Amino acid sequence: MTWMLWGYLLLHPVYYFFFNDGELMSPLLQLSLVDILAWAGGILAVTLSLYHLWSRAHHCKWWWRRRNMLKQAEMEMLGEG
């Protein structure tokens, strides 16, 4: 996802240059610096949000496995005792 967003932002003007007979018709080239910075900030926010959600999901997965393993060990100890 990150590569797609950055690739769109950076390679879109190049695509328009080569496939429109050298005419710079890219919508991104008509944007102001503030708009481009807003795009970059949005891409960064999406990237960080996705990474946060991914890391939280893996943390919860790890916690759930550890919890089940401890319950299983407790049941085995109670069964033997």
Side-chain angles (χ1 to χ4, degrees), residues 6-68:
W6 282 110
Y8 176 79
L9 184 64
L10 298 174
L11 297 177
H12 188 72
V14 174
Y15 171 81
Y16 269 86
F17 180 75
F18 285 116
F19 292 102
N20 283 333
D21 298 326
E23 296 177 22
L24 297 176
M25 301 282 296
S26 172
L28 289 179
L29 292 176
Q30 298 170 3
L31 296 175
S32 67
L33 180 60
V34 173
D35 294 332
I36 292 175
L37 290 175
W39 267 89
I43 291 170
L44 183 62
V46 167
T47 302
L48 292 177
S49 298
L50 289 174
Y51 177 73
H52 174 73
L53 293 173
W54 174 82
S55 65
R56 292 302 298 165
H58 280 274
H59 176 73
C60 290
K61 188 173 148 183
W62 171 81
W63 178 82
W64 188 258
R65 282 184 182 172
R66 183 175 174 262
R67 179 180 171 266
N68 288 339

